[in-house]
Amino acid sequence: MSAARDMLCDTARAVFADAATVGLAPVEEAGFALLLVPEAEGGFGGDWGDVNAVLQIAGVTIPDLPVAALIAPHALQPVATVSLMAGAMGQALALSIEHVNTRQQFGRPLGKFQAVQQSLAVMACEVRAVEAAAAALAARLDAVELDPAAAHFEIAAAKLRANRAVGVVTAIAHQVHGAIGFTAEYELNRVTIPLMRWRSEHGNDAYWAAKLGRQVSGLGGQGLWEALTAR
């Protein structure tokens, strides 16, 4: 991550922490709506890699505020949702690891039980896959100057992958937390509830699977290989 992106993310964390208590105003005042606006026009001049990093933070700290709508154009809202989902899933994993390493059962931490370790390993694979899909999608969008039509394959693949991960991630997170994960006082439900909402936003599993399937069948075996390697 570049120094500029590091600074941007540090700013986002501070601004979003304020927004979590007072609403969207601090985000607007900080100028995040100008993140994709060229510097010559008074904006930040960022790329989608910057947006991806910022929205992953938003998915953790302020998942219920419309930060994606503020930053990203309408045509790229499905992409923005993938970034939000990646951030929220990462937080669900972090909370789960912290919980099983501190919660004692039968005289030892839950994380020492093999069944719990196996569940968390499955969860971690899903989370990292979504993070990788979001990063690959960001790289493609930056390569095609944010043209969603030129990144239609990556958009469909990333949104479908994120959607499919939601059920596994939320189920395991709540399973290892037990009853505390459902309480209003605990942080887990703040990310798992939005995840279930984002899963159906801008197209559910069936929508993106059909979209991806049509693209793949239209390319054919040789065409698909050539299209993927050309990227």
Side-chain angles (χ1 to χ4, degrees):
M1 186 179 291
S2 67
R5 190 170 294 171
D6 274 337
M7 186 179 301
L8 176 65
C9 289
D10 288 342
T11 301
R13 291 186 186 94
V15 171
F16 293 168
D18 290 339
T21 59
V22 301
L24 198 60
V27 184
E28 295 172 330
E29 292 167 4
F32 277 94
L34 301 175
L35 186 54
L36 289 174
V37 176
E39 291 184 57
E41 298 175 18
F44 181 81
D47 56 22
W48 197 266
D50 296 322
V51 174
N52 179 44
V54 167
L55 288 181
Q56 287 200 33
I57 297 169
V60 173
T61 53
I62 46 173
D64 294 320
L65 294 180
V67 180
L70 180 70
I71 295 175
H74 178 74
L76 293 176
Q77 287 302 305
V79 187
T81 303
V82 172
S83 297
L84 292 169
M85 294 170 80
M89 288 185 201
Q91 179 69 353
L93 177 61
L95 289 170
S96 299
I97 292 172
E98 180 182 10
H99 179 74
V100 302
N101 284 335
T102 56
R103 174 71 173 175
Q104 297 279 328
Q105 189 73 29
F106 303 115
R108 56 177 176 162
L110 284 174
K112 296 295 184 182
F113 291 90
Q114 187 175 16
V116 174
Q117 294 172 357
Q118 290 173 336
S119 292
L120 286 179
V122 171
M123 183 182 180
C125 287
E126 294 295 303
V127 173
R128 300 309 176 217
V130 175
E131 291 174 347
L137 178 50
R140 177 62 177 171
L141 279 172
D142 288 334
V144 299
E145 299 181 343
L146 303 184
D147 179 5
H152 60 292
F153 182 89
E154 286 83 1
I155 294 172
K159 186 60 166 67
L160 179 60
R161 187 65 186 87
N163 283 359
R164 296 293 296 272
V166 169
V168 176
V169 170
T170 56
I172 293 175
H174 281 285
Q175 183 182 47
V176 300
H177 274 88
I180 193 174
F182 292 95
T183 62
E185 295 80 11
Y186 192 71
E187 189 178 351
L188 181 64
N189 65 84
R190 287 188 63 252
V191 292
T192 55
I193 291 174
L195 276 170
M196 289 183 277
R197 181 180 73 243
W198 289 328
R199 180 176 185 172
S200 59
E201 282 188 358
H202 310 294
N204 59 15
D205 299 35
Y207 173 84
W208 290 108
K211 210 168 180 58
L212 189 62
R214 285 193 295 269
Q215 293 179 54
V216 170
S217 61
L219 288 168
Q222 185 63 31
L224 176 61
W225 175 252
E226 290 173 356
L228 290 176
T229 54
R231 285 165 162 77

